[in-house]
Amino acid sequence: MALFLMTDPTHYEVCYQINPWMKPATWRDERDACQAAAKRASAELRAALKAAGAQVETVEAARGLPDLVFPANAAVVLDGKVLLARFRHPERQGEEAIFRSAFCRLKTRGVVQDVIDLPEGLFHEGAGDAIWDLGRQLFWAGYGPRSSRGALAVLQSVFGREIVPLELASDRYYHLDTCFCPLSGGEVLYYPAAFTEAALAAIRARVPDDLRIEATDEDAAAFCVNAVNLDRTIIMAKAPPALKSRLEGRGYQVVEVDLSPFILSGGAAYCMTLRLDRTSVPQASAIAAE
Ligand code: ARG
């Protein structure tokens, strides 16, 4: 059974701006409504994961660390190994200690086996910038706005897997998970404008034409590329109808959740979760995800 980490959204808010989507003024103006909507949205996402057959572990909320609700950025997890993140922005660096203790507790319980530090001087924002592609047996690795290029060598040595570096070209799509989502049938849903020419060439070299699904400006801005795929189910923010039918046409079931309070911080379904049981080899007993 798939196992995800999520964070209690009690202390979630938008009170600083470290990406162009973040709107502290909008949040301030409608604080109570936004807070209530965020709690509902997080609960709905959790329910959607459970309905798709997954289990969810929860990290407690911490006052003053509102972006703790995006655990995809906490670490890269594969085969029980946890490579802890280091955040580029001081606003999020306080999350590192909290996630470290959460992973150490998970290790005590045997949920993960190894908790590994990133060497000093490098930034890496976890599964937001390192997406495991089970079918192709590689990590797609975003870098530029948040994660350092140099951190990719560490990914390589910790996990011993092929790493495909993808340079991100835009500060609006600052994590790879905002613009790139491999699907269980081998397709890749991605937003070409977010990548440099070299990154696009690397994608095209590995993903044939008929498996590349290009997201439109509207799809990307609705944070629909930031999706959780479990077998034939794709859980995402409210989707433009054309995207939904394109995915349904390929045999996927699209489950939409209104995640607008989190889009106000520049995140949605994928980054509000972190898959803890991801393995490099397909597990017969598990849902064949990604
Ligand atoms: N406000 C958060 C930040 O800018 C949002 C993070 C969303 N995470 C993601 N993996 N896309 O860091």
Side-chain angles (χ1 to χ4, degrees):
M1 184 181 274
L3 179 63
F4 288 89
L5 193 64
M6 284 186 70
T7 305
D8 174 341
T10 301
H11 296 306
Y12 171 66
E13 58 179 339
V14 184
C15 57
Y16 52 74
Q17 190 181 28
I18 56 171
N19 73 57
W21 306 94
M22 296 183 82
K23 305 270 173 5
T26 309
W27 183 275
R28 234 183 356 257
D29 289 350
E30 296 167 45
R31 174 181 297 274
D32 291 348
C34 285
Q35 251 155 9
K39 281 193 186 146
R40 273 197 308 274
S42 173
E44 249 188 75
L45 178 59
R46 180 182 295 263
L49 291 169
K50 289 190 174 165
Q55 281 185 323
V56 180
E57 287 281 338
T58 307
V59 174
E60 271 175 45
R63 203 179 290 280
L65 294 173
D67 280 342
L68 208 63
V69 294
F70 299 113
N73 297 127
V76 182
V77 183
L78 185 71
D79 293 331
K81 283 187 194 172
V82 176
L83 177 62
L84 294 171
R86 180 167 306 108
F87 288 91
R88 169 130 355 221
H89 293 288
E91 288 86 341
R92 294 198 67 180
Q93 286 165 357
E95 297 175 36
E96 291 167 16
I98 295 194
F99 282 125
R100 167 194 295 277
S101 11
F103 285 114
C104 289
R105 280 196 301 274
L106 289 167
K107 182 177 165 182
T108 311
R109 287 172 40 206
V111 178
V112 297
Q113 274 72 57
D114 250 336
V115 180
I116 303 157
D117 282 303
L118 193 72
E120 293 291 325
L122 295 170
F123 297 110
H124 195 271
E125 299 199 355
D129 266 335
I131 303 181
W132 177 247
D133 187 325
L134 183 64
R136 295 183 182 83
Q137 291 284 298
L138 53 81
F139 274 111
W140 298 100
Y143 70 95
R146 297 292 181 89
S147 299
S148 341
R149 176 78 169 83
L152 307 195
V154 180
L155 274 183
Q156 217 287 319
S157 71
V158 168
F159 296 103
R161 297 293 166 157
E162 185 187 355
I163 310 289
V164 181
L166 297 176
E167 186 174 10
L168 301 174
S170 125
D171 63 348
R172 276 161 62 83
Y173 298 97
Y174 55 93
H175 282 138
L176 182 63
D177 66 8
T178 62
C179 52
F180 190 91
C181 181
L183 300 176
S184 59
E187 303 92 338
V188 168
L189 172 63
Y190 76 119
Y191 178 55
F195 295 93
T196 61
E197 268 313 312
L200 286 175
I203 295 169
R204 291 189 198 114
R206 287 167 181 83
V207 186
D209 215 30
D210 57 318
L211 292 181
R212 293 198 307 269
I213 308 174
E214 296 196 357
T216 63
D217 294 352
E218 193 197 356
D219 301 336
F223 274 79
C224 290
V225 184
N226 194 260
V228 176
N229 174 214
L230 281 169
D231 196 12
R232 302 307 287 182
T233 301
I234 309 177
I235 303 172
M236 62 171 64
K238 287 284 177 203
L243 175 64
K244 202 176 166 192
S245 48
R246 276 200 289 163
L247 293 168
E248 286 171 350
R250 289 183 180 254
Y252 292 96
Q253 186 208 355
V254 176
V255 176
E256 294 170 88
V257 180
D258 180 358
L259 296 174
S260 43
F262 296 97
I263 294 176
L264 266 191
S265 189
Y270 178 93
C271 55
M272 293 173 67
T273 64
L274 176 66
R275 183 90 190 255
L276 295 174
D277 64 321
R278 206 179 289 282
T279 54
S280 58
V281 285
Q283 301 292 292
S285 59
I287 295 172
E290 330 54 52

